[in-house]
Every structure is written in structure tokens, then in C-alpha cells.
Amino acid sequence: MQPAHMNLKILLPYKVFAEQKNVVRIVAVTHQGSFGILPHRLDCVASLTAGLLVFECDGADEVYVAIDEGVLVKTGFDVLISVRNAIGGLALSELHQAVEQEFMHLDEQEQQLRSVLIKMESNFMRRLTEFHHDRV
């Protein structure tokens, strides 16, 4: 008889975020909506959108993880989820606040990055113009 549990691994670009055995149910969000995965579901690949990933282990409460965009791959009883960012380990009410703070922090970083890129681009254009005038 085959086991009725899955092994879940959530990967970030720089580390393994979570690894859980004895998972009996997973709910993920795609561009077409949310879908559930049970242990005997056929193998699949899905593109995930930012949202809540919910999973339940045998004899335990549901676990909520806020995830960024990524990919889910189910092969046999192994489910591998690779995302850019994830926040977990909090109650559902606290998770909402943590996600808002993380996105505000990312917005600040994105603005700084854009500012640096604009400076680099204008410096490049200035040097290219100078180079062109020197050659003429």
C-alpha cells in the first residue's frame, strides 16, 4: 500500500525556506485560481502567483505561507515549490501585516535601484556623446 502523505519543500533563490514531511493537503494559487493537491494527484507543474500557500500535515493545524511568484512541481509524493520570496511562521492575522511591511521594504529598494540605474544610464549617454564629439 502506498503512503498517503507528501513531502513538501519550499525553495528560495538563496536557501531552503521550509521542508515538511507527512503533508496531506496543499492549496496553491495560480493565474487561473486556487487548486488543491492531495497525495494521489497526478504529477503536475504549475506557475504560481503571489498569494497564500496553505498546507496541512497529518494531525496538525493548517500552515499558511505568503509566497511570491514561482513554480510548483509535483512528482510522485514530492512537491517542490520554488519562489522568489516567502514569509511564514506567523498566525494568519500577523501574516497580512508582515506581507505589507515586506512589500513596502521592497518598494523602497526598487526605488533606490531605479535611481541608480537612471544615473548609470545618463552617465553612459553623456560619455557616449562625448566620445562621438571627440571622434568627429
Side-chain angles (χ1 to χ4, degrees), residues 4 16 21 31 35 41 43-44 49 60 72 75 97-98 120 128:
V16 175
K21 296 187 182 299
H31 295 285
F35 74 101
R41 186 183 200 285
D43 294 352
C44 65
T49 61
L72 177 147
T75 55
Q97 183 179 2
M120 287 175 57
L128 186 62

Side-chain angles (χ1 to χ4, degrees), residues 28 98 114:
R114 285 183 182 168

Side-chain angles (χ1 to χ4, degrees), residues 37-112:
I37 299 175
L38 297 174
H40 294 288
R41 186 183 200 285
L42 294 175
D43 294 352
C44 65
V45 175
S47 175
L48 302 177
T49 61
L52 277 181
L53 173 76
V54 181
F55 66 90
E56 183 180 353
C57 295
D58 197 18
D61 292 334
E62 289 182 332
V63 176
Y64 300 95
V65 179
I67 61 169
D68 204 345
E69 294 178 331
V71 175
L72 177 147
V73 178
K74 181 185 185 299
T75 55
F77 293 103
D78 295 322
V79 178
L80 192 63
I81 296 175
S82 179
V83 293
R84 287 190 272 178
N85 199 6
I87 301 173
L90 302 170
L92 192 55
S93 58
E94 296 169 341
L95 193 58
H96 178 72
Q97 183 179 2
V99 168
E100 281 184 350
Q101 289 175 351
E102 181 69 25
F103 281 126
M104 287 191 318
H105 177 70
L106 287 175
D107 284 344
E108 290 172 8
Q109 285 179 334
E110 192 173 296
Q111 287 175 355
Q112 290 173 353

